[in-house]
Amino acid sequence: MKLSSLLFRFRKGIIFAVTLVILENIAWIVEPTVFGNVIDAFIDKPVILKESEFLIPLFIWIGVFLANSGLGALRRSFDQRIYLRMFTHIATDVVREARQQGHTISRTAARGELTREYISFLQYRLPEIVEQTIAIGGAIIALLFFDWRISATCSFIVVPLYFMTTVYNRNVLKHQKALHDTREEAFDVYSMADVSAVEAYYQRLAAHEQRIANWGALNFGVIRFFLLGIFLIVLYISIDLDDFSTGNIYSIVAYLWTFVTSTEYLPELLESTSSLRDLSRRLAKAE
């Protein structure tokens, strides 16, 4: 069972859910620019409710905010309906295939439960990947309209990010495989009714998870180091080299912060994709 086949099989529900994510985050990424215009409207002129120059940016921001909030609420309601039904079908198919292949009860039960990772990935990680992609790309594009040097500075993170991603995926994948191998032994370990065996089992699980966490921490630290340099350069350009309004400064800082927080979140997303790659190979062998 491969992720691509699942995406095709349940494509209608997944496309609907991802479309809501995209629309929600497009509304979110333009909000700092719109709100920056509201700030400038407050500062430039006295607040007179009848003045259209003040009301227009305010109402545009309210509309964008309501679109973001409404789409977010709608998505969170539909996600459960789509993915819970999907999990039932996937788990049933995996267990049926495992039994036909003659796997042990322990491995069959474990693989049935491991399929929940597919659902967790599609329901939570896939939207997060879309969100972070829009956040990073949208922030770079938005900053381009303020100063191309700011956008170019942020784009520089692609170089260390590519290097760290390659190293991270290669090392974490083997630990994810070992973790899944261990989890498939759960039923057999419990059936032994031996407390020491259960303790040793969880110690092995913890050891694999700790190694994955160590690589995540290293990746996070390296990315943060480069982000610090980018943050300082962008602030210098924004404050010393350009004559931005107060609203523009707010928008730039908001986009920069969005860029930083979204980029530093990537190690956690990479861990989930590595886990899913091993799970996809594992279940494919059972077919």
Side-chain angles (χ1 to χ4, degrees):
M1 181 180 295
K2 297 182 179 180
L3 180 60
S4 57
S5 63
L6 290 178
L7 292 175
F8 180 78
R9 179 180 175 185
F10 301 101
R11 60 189 179 279
K12 291 183 178 179
I14 294 174
I15 289 174
F16 179 74
V18 172
T19 300
L20 291 179
V21 175
I22 294 173
L23 294 176
E24 175 190 353
N25 283 273
I26 288 176
W28 183 83
I29 201 66
V30 302
E31 192 175 335
T33 296
V34 176
F35 192 72
N37 294 334
V38 175
I39 292 176
D40 286 339
F42 267 103
I43 294 175
D44 292 343
K45 292 186 177 182
V47 177
I48 301 175
L49 294 180
K50 295 182 180 179
E51 290 286 346
S52 61
E53 293 182 7
F54 167 74
L55 291 177
I56 290 176
L58 178 62
F59 284 143
I60 291 176
W61 172 71
I62 292 175
V64 171
F65 183 86
L66 292 177
N68 171 258
S69 303
L71 289 167
L74 182 64
R75 175 173 69 86
R76 286 159 177 77
S77 174
F78 274 93
D79 274 0
Q80 286 295 97
R81 305 180 193 180
I82 294 171
Y83 293 113
L84 287 176
R85 184 168 59 249
M86 191 184 304
F87 174 67
T88 301
H89 290 297
I90 294 173
T92 302
D93 290 346
V94 168
V95 171
R96 183 186 301 114
E97 291 167 358
R99 293 187 63 181
Q100 290 174 352
Q101 294 294 325
H103 291 305
T104 63
I105 295 177
S106 176
R107 177 169 293 185
T108 300
R111 290 194 170 181
E113 187 60 27
L114 282 173
T115 55
R116 189 176 293 277
E117 290 191 24
Y118 273 120
I119 304 304
S120 296
F121 179 84
L122 293 173
Q123 184 174 0
Y124 301 111
R125 294 310 191 191
L126 181 59
E128 288 172 351
I129 290 172
V130 174
E131 289 172 4
Q132 305 312 319
T133 301
I134 294 175
I136 294 173
I140 292 176
I141 293 173
L143 289 170
L144 182 63
F145 288 97
F146 293 99
D147 191 313
W148 68 269
R149 292 170 297 185
I150 299 176
S151 181
T153 301
C154 291
S155 300
F156 174 75
I157 194 65
V158 172
V159 177
L161 189 61
Y162 173 79
F163 173 76
M164 285 303 300
T165 298
T166 302
V167 176
Y168 182 88
N169 283 336
R170 184 172 63 249
N171 286 276
V172 169
L173 185 59
K174 63 182 180 182
H175 295 308
Q176 286 288 357
K177 181 181 182 303
L179 180 63
H180 288 156
D181 287 340
T182 304
R183 289 176 63 181
E184 287 186 348
E185 302 171 7
F187 185 85
D188 290 336
V189 171
Y190 279 107
S191 65
M192 295 169 61
D194 185 348
V195 175
S196 61
V198 173
E199 181 181 6
Y201 167 77
Y202 280 106
Q203 286 177 345
R204 283 186 289 137
L205 280 179
H208 296 312
E209 291 174 345
Q210 184 61 56
R211 294 187 186 100
I212 294 172
N214 290 342
W215 275 103
L218 176 62
N219 199 8
F220 176 84
V222 172
I223 291 175
R224 288 285 292 185
F225 174 78
F226 283 97
L227 287 174
L228 174 61
I230 289 174
F231 208 120
L232 294 174
I233 294 172
V234 170
L235 286 180
Y236 172 73
I237 295 172
S238 303
I239 297 174
D240 285 354
L241 302 184
D242 288 315
D243 186 21
F244 288 127
S245 66
T246 304
N248 286 342
I249 292 292
Y250 163 81
S251 299
I252 290 172
V253 172
Y255 283 124
L256 184 58
W257 199 253
T258 296
F259 176 82
V260 169
T261 53
S262 297
T263 304
E264 69 185 15
Y265 187 51
L266 287 178
E268 187 174 344
L269 295 179
L270 290 173
E271 180 182 329
S272 67
T273 56
S274 297
S275 176
L276 201 70
R277 285 170 59 192
D278 175 70
L279 181 60
S280 181
R281 295 175 183 175
R282 187 176 302 268
L283 296 180
K285 292 179 181 179
E287 294 179 350

